[in-house]
């Protein structure tokens, strides 16, 4: 069933990064405004609305209509009314707003098939309709203004949680089926399912990158980790509340960084080891790197700290990279469960184009709400399949590593003296040098997780006009025996530091190459036999007066 409609003086947008439209007059700080937006959504994506100065966002949107999912999912006609106040939060020098900006949410790059029929504003009680033909775009949008004819079909107007992608039922079933890589040894998962059914507390944690953080949907709570939590509880203990969830996704991180975060984020945050752990770093881990070794050590760590922990290797989809080929043999070595979203997407029977439709992806990697739904459904397929199987004989942790070359065996994290339970970092002679402060704003994900709570910060010069007074630049110094060394450092607002290993400057750490408070990671000393080393970290020439934060240090011996 479909129907064709015609509109006059409408603005049709397809594939737009964003646009601005001028206000009737410039608004001063503190002034109030009501923004009215009417139109038709013909796709799966929507927009945010901001007051702005030029293309600079000025105020947090008071109302956002996210067509990609979340609490305000809507396909078809929309009529939005937003009450906003000019409140600058980016640049303290800006005190006014002269535009309205329409923009996609974080991780989403383009608006797909949205028709605007009217944009009006109410200022001081007076309503003014804005001229849609004067919208100013950036990027390379496809747009039309004037008489618009469109066809609205009922087929796309469905419940995204029960019928993702609007593909045929048999195609969706095939996608789900193809995602199951391995059931592994099921006795640990059987125990988890039994505990859920009995109403016993089950601690579930998801450790991964931005996809696990919930990147893509309008709300991070529509991410697969949250959807899976709800589906698992509803299926195996309806009405219960005995699955304790600890989401540990952090954008831009790989398995080695996950290994560094595991003690504080997964264990310390809850006070015990998880019963069910998802590890999702496939699209962040490049093949043949320390991240594959980090993935193996994460499995061993989880199984060692709780021998009954059920571990799932979850391999997300991306059009550019996926390390599942290297990870699957590692997972098989430990008998863990493995699920591939890439396999599911690749078996969609060509019923949607993941590269252009913005159906599975909202950008180059992050899934839409519907994409996260299929991830949760693939995980549930694994659980349901194991539930119907006979229980396997309990298995032990293999004595040998699958990846023996420079493995992360005996991995340890170096901690500052203020960390709870600090024991002096046995086997390490440590001197903090000028890195004596603590950074209370390391990289933060969408939720309340503190990524690297125990760090070292070298404060920057407080006054740039007193440059003749020397600043401290005493090197942090570590003497230890190791075969691997991992350093995570802040990537925003810092200077450049250099790493000296055994008296030789080995590399530099650029603390100002990212723009959204992310973290950076580097690996040093990749050897098969542990040897004594002296490591120093100090600010590079010219950056002595700048701040720098070392968020975490780890090593294996």
């Amino acid at each position: 069933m479909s129907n064709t409609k015609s509109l006059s003086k409408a603005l049709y947008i397809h594939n737009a990064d964003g646009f601005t439209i001028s206000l009737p007059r410039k608004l001063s700080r503190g002034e109030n405004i009501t923004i009215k937006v009417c139109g038709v959504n013909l796709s799966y994506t929507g927009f945010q609305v901001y007051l702005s100065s030029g293309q600079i966002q000025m105020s947090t949107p008071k109302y956002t209509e996210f067509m990609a999912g979340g609490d305000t999912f809507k396909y078809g006609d929309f009529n939005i009314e937003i009450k906003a106040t000019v409140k600058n939060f980016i640049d303290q020098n800006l005190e006014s707003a002269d535009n309205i900006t329409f923009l996609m949410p974080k991780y989403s790059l383009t608006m797909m098939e949205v028709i605007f029929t009217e944009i009006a504003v109410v200022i001081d009680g007076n309503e003014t309709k804005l001229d849609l033909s004067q919208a100013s775009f950036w990027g390379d949008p496809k747009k039309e203004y004037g008489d618009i004819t469109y066809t609205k079909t009922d087929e796309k107007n469905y419940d995204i949680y029960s019928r993702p992608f609007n593909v045929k039922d048999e195609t969706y079933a095939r996608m789900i089926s193809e995602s199951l890589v391995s059931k592994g040894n099921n006795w640990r998962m059987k125990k988890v399912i039994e505990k859920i059914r009995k109403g016993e507390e089950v601690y579930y944690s998801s450790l991964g990158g931005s996809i696990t953080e919930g990147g893509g949907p309008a709300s991070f709570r529509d991410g697969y980790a949250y959807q899976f939590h709800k589906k698992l509880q509803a299926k195996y203990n309806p009405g219960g509340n005995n699955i304790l969830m600890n989401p540990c996704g952090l954008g831009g991180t790989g398995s080695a960084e996950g290994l560094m975060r595991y003690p504080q984020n997964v264990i310390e945050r809850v006070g015990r080891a998880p019963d069910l752990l998802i590890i999702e770093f496939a699209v962040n881990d490049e093949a043949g790197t320390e991240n594959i070794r980090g993935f193996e050590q994460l499995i061993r760590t989880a199984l060692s700290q709780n021998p009954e922990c059920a571990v799932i290797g979850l391999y997300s989809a991306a059009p550019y990279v996926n390390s599942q080929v290297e990870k699957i043999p590692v997972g098989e070595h430990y008998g863990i469960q493995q699920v591939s979203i890439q396999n599911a997407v690749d078996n969609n029977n060509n019923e949607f184009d993941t590269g252009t439709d913005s159906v599975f992806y909202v950008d180059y990697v992050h899934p839409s709400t519907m994409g996260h739904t299929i991830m949760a459904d693939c995980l549930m397929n694994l659980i349901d399949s194991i539930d119907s199987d006979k229980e396997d004989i309990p298995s032990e942790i293999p004595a040998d590593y699958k990846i023996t070359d420079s493995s992360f065996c005996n991995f340890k994290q170096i901690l500052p003296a203020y960390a709870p339970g600090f024991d002096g970092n046995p086997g390490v002679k440590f001197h903090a040098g000028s890195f004596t402060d603590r950074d209370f704003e390391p990289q933060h994900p969408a939720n309340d997780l503190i990524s690297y709570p125990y760090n070292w910060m070298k404060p920057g010069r407080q006054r740039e006009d007193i440059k003749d007074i020397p600043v401290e630049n005493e090197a942090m110094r570590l003497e230890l025996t190791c075969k691997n060394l991992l350093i995570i450092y802040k990537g925003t607002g810092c200077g450049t530091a250099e790493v000296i290993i055994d008296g030789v400057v080995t590399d530099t750490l650029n603390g100002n190459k990212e723009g959204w408070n992310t973290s950076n990671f580097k690996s040093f000393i990749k050897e098969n036999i542990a040897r004594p080393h002296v490591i120093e970290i100090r600010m590079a020439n010219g950056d002595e007066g700048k701040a720098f934060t070392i968020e975490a240090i780890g090593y294996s011996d």
Side-chain angles (χ1 to χ4, degrees):
M1 176 181 177
S2 65
N3 57 82
T4 301
K5 295 184 178 182
S6 296
L7 298 170
S8 61
K9 296 184 178 180
L11 179 64
Y12 167 78
I13 294 173
H14 179 262
N15 194 36
D17 295 345
F19 68 92
T20 60
I21 190 165
S22 297
L23 291 167
R25 68 170 177 85
K26 181 176 290 188
L27 301 177
S28 301
R29 185 182 182 91
E31 282 197 84
N32 299 316
I33 181 174
T34 298
I35 306 169
K36 298 180 178 181
V37 187
C38 301
V40 185
N41 181 52
L42 299 173
S43 65
Y44 305 90
T45 58
F47 50 85
Q48 288 182 327
V49 183
Y50 294 86
L51 292 178
S52 59
S53 177
Q55 293 177 2
I56 303 299
Q57 300 160 26
M58 288 281 295
S59 62
T60 303
K62 300 298 180 182
Y63 182 93
T64 303
E65 184 76 7
F66 291 112
M67 309 306 178
D71 296 336
T72 55
F73 174 83
K74 187 172 182 178
Y75 168 87
D77 299 331
F78 60 85
N79 190 331
I80 304 167
E81 186 171 297
I82 309 135
K83 296 185 183 299
T85 302
V86 180
K87 180 184 178 184
N88 172 42
F89 73 106
I90 291 180
D91 188 337
Q92 296 301 315
N93 295 321
L94 293 175
E95 294 290 337
S96 62
D98 48 25
N99 293 313
I100 306 172
T101 291
F102 292 78
L103 186 71
M104 282 298 292
K106 183 180 179 182
Y107 299 126
S108 303
L109 301 181
T110 59
M111 284 183 275
M112 304 291 290
E113 292 193 280
V114 182
I115 298 174
F116 293 88
T117 57
E118 182 179 297
I119 300 175
V121 294
V122 179
I123 303 173
D124 298 329
N126 299 314
E127 181 171 326
T128 303
K129 292 183 180 180
L130 305 184
D131 187 350
L132 298 179
S133 68
Q134 297 302 305
S136 176
F137 290 80
W138 61 92
D140 184 22
K142 298 175 183 177
K143 62 183 186 300
E144 299 175 31
Y145 173 76
D147 297 332
I148 304 297
T149 299
Y150 69 96
T151 299
K152 185 167 64 172
T153 65
D154 292 336
E155 293 177 357
K156 287 186 178 180
N157 194 11
Y158 56 83
D159 180 352
I160 60 173
Y161 291 101
S162 62
R163 185 75 182 278
F165 307 125
N166 202 32
V167 297
K168 297 175 182 177
D169 289 342
E170 56 267 29
T171 299
Y172 194 69
R174 178 186 177 187
M175 293 170 66
I176 297 296
S177 175
E178 291 296 328
S179 72
L180 182 50
V181 174
S182 174
K183 298 181 187 180
N185 185 295
N186 70 23
W187 77 271
R188 294 184 177 94
M189 189 64 75
K190 284 277 192 181
K191 286 187 173 294
V192 170
I193 296 172
E194 181 183 7
K195 290 177 69 175
I196 296 174
R197 279 202 172 104
K198 289 181 177 179
E200 299 176 14
E201 183 183 89
V202 168
Y203 168 25
Y204 149 59
S205 185
S206 51
L207 182 66
S210 57
I211 296 175
T212 295
E213 184 180 337
S219 169
F220 67 87
R221 291 186 176 86
D222 283 326
Y224 83 83
Y226 297 82
Q227 291 195 45
F228 174 60
H229 176 234
K230 294 176 182 177
K231 289 174 182 283
L232 188 62
Q233 184 73 71
K235 176 70 180 286
Y236 289 97
N237 188 5
N241 190 31
N242 60 313
I243 303 177
L244 173 63
M245 178 187 181
N246 176 25
C248 296
L250 187 66
T253 58
S255 292
E257 291 156 291
L259 179 61
M260 296 274 272
R261 294 194 289 117
Y262 190 85
Q264 284 80 45
N265 292 179
V266 178
I267 302 295
E268 183 180 295
R269 196 167 183 234
V270 174
R272 69 180 182 92
D275 302 298
L276 174 60
L277 175 68
I278 292 176
I279 304 175
E280 179 276 317
F281 291 108
V283 298
N284 285 11
D285 290 349
E286 294 182 6
T289 67
E290 60 280 337
N291 279 319
I292 308 301
R293 300 195 297 275
F295 174 68
E296 179 170 20
Q297 188 60 44
L298 269 171
I299 297 172
R300 293 186 74 95
T301 299
L303 297 179
S304 298
Q305 295 188 352
N306 179 7
E308 295 185 355
C309 177
V311 179
I312 300 175
L314 178 61
Y315 311 129
S316 298
Y320 61 94
V321 68
N322 193 308
S323 59
Q324 70 178 39
V325 172
E326 284 198 312
K327 287 181 173 176
I328 287 173
V330 176
E332 291 174 346
H333 185 67
Y334 294 91
I336 68 170
Q337 284 72 56
Q338 300 184 82
V339 172
S340 169
I341 308 305
Q342 188 70 62
N343 290 1
V345 172
D346 289 346
N347 283 277
N348 68 45
N349 201 30
N350 295 319
E351 291 189 26
F352 62 86
D353 185 343
T354 59
T356 60
D357 280 358
S358 284
V359 177
F360 184 82
Y361 300 114
V362 298
D363 56 15
Y364 58 92
V365 61
H366 302 98
S368 63
T369 301
M370 291 167 281
H372 280 275
T373 297
I374 191 177
M375 294 182 71
D377 285 349
C378 289
L379 289 167
M380 286 302 298
N381 174 66
L382 166 71
I383 304 298
D384 294 342
S385 179
I386 287 177
D387 184 47
S388 62
D389 289 344
K390 181 180 178 181
E391 183 173 320
D392 293 331
I393 298 173
S395 63
E396 300 294 329
I397 303 174
D400 298 328
Y401 278 71
K402 177 66 175 177
I403 303 174
T404 57
D405 179 30
S406 192
S407 68
F408 284 161
C409 62
N410 300 319
F411 188 82
K412 304 175 182 67
Q413 186 174 347
I414 297 173
L415 296 171
Y418 63 80
F422 177 74
D423 61 0
N425 295 311
V428 179
K429 189 174 181 180
F430 179 85
H431 177 64
S434 297
F435 296 83
T436 55
D437 284 12
R438 181 180 184 180
D439 193 332
F440 289 94
E441 291 295 330
Q443 181 181 348
H444 279 195
N447 57 34
D448 63 350
L449 177 74
I450 300 177
S451 54
Y452 302 103
Y454 310 128
N455 55 63
W456 300 267
M457 182 176 75
K458 176 195 173 300
R461 187 196 302 269
Q462 297 300 311
R463 291 182 59 183
E464 285 297 320
D465 59 328
I466 312 180
K467 294 186 177 181
D468 57 331
I469 299 179
V471 294
E472 289 189 8
N473 189 27
E474 185 180 1
M476 175 184 285
R477 181 181 174 90
L478 301 87
E479 297 180 33
L480 73 166
T481 297
C482 67
K483 61 180 180 178
N484 289 290
L485 179 73
L486 308 180
I487 298 176
I488 298 175
Y489 57 101
K490 196 168 185 177
T492 304
C494 298
T496 296
E498 54 187 17
V499 179
I500 303 102
I501 298 179
D502 300 328
V504 177
V505 177
T506 304
D507 205 345
T508 58
L509 309 177
N510 183 353
N512 196 33
K513 71 176 184 178
E514 302 290 349
W516 48 284
N517 199 32
T518 188
S519 302
N520 291 320
F521 162 82
K522 281 197 176 181
S523 173
F524 303 88
I525 313 178
K526 306 170 188 178
E527 300 173 346
N528 292 325
I529 299 175
R531 298 188 297 110
H533 292 283
V534 177
I535 296 98
E536 295 177 288
I537 305 172
R538 69 185 178 205
M539 300 307 294
N541 289 338
D543 278 7
E544 295 88 348
K546 295 182 180 179
F548 196 90
T549 298
I550 301 171
E551 294 181 320
I553 303 174
Y555 71 99
S556 61
D557 59 9

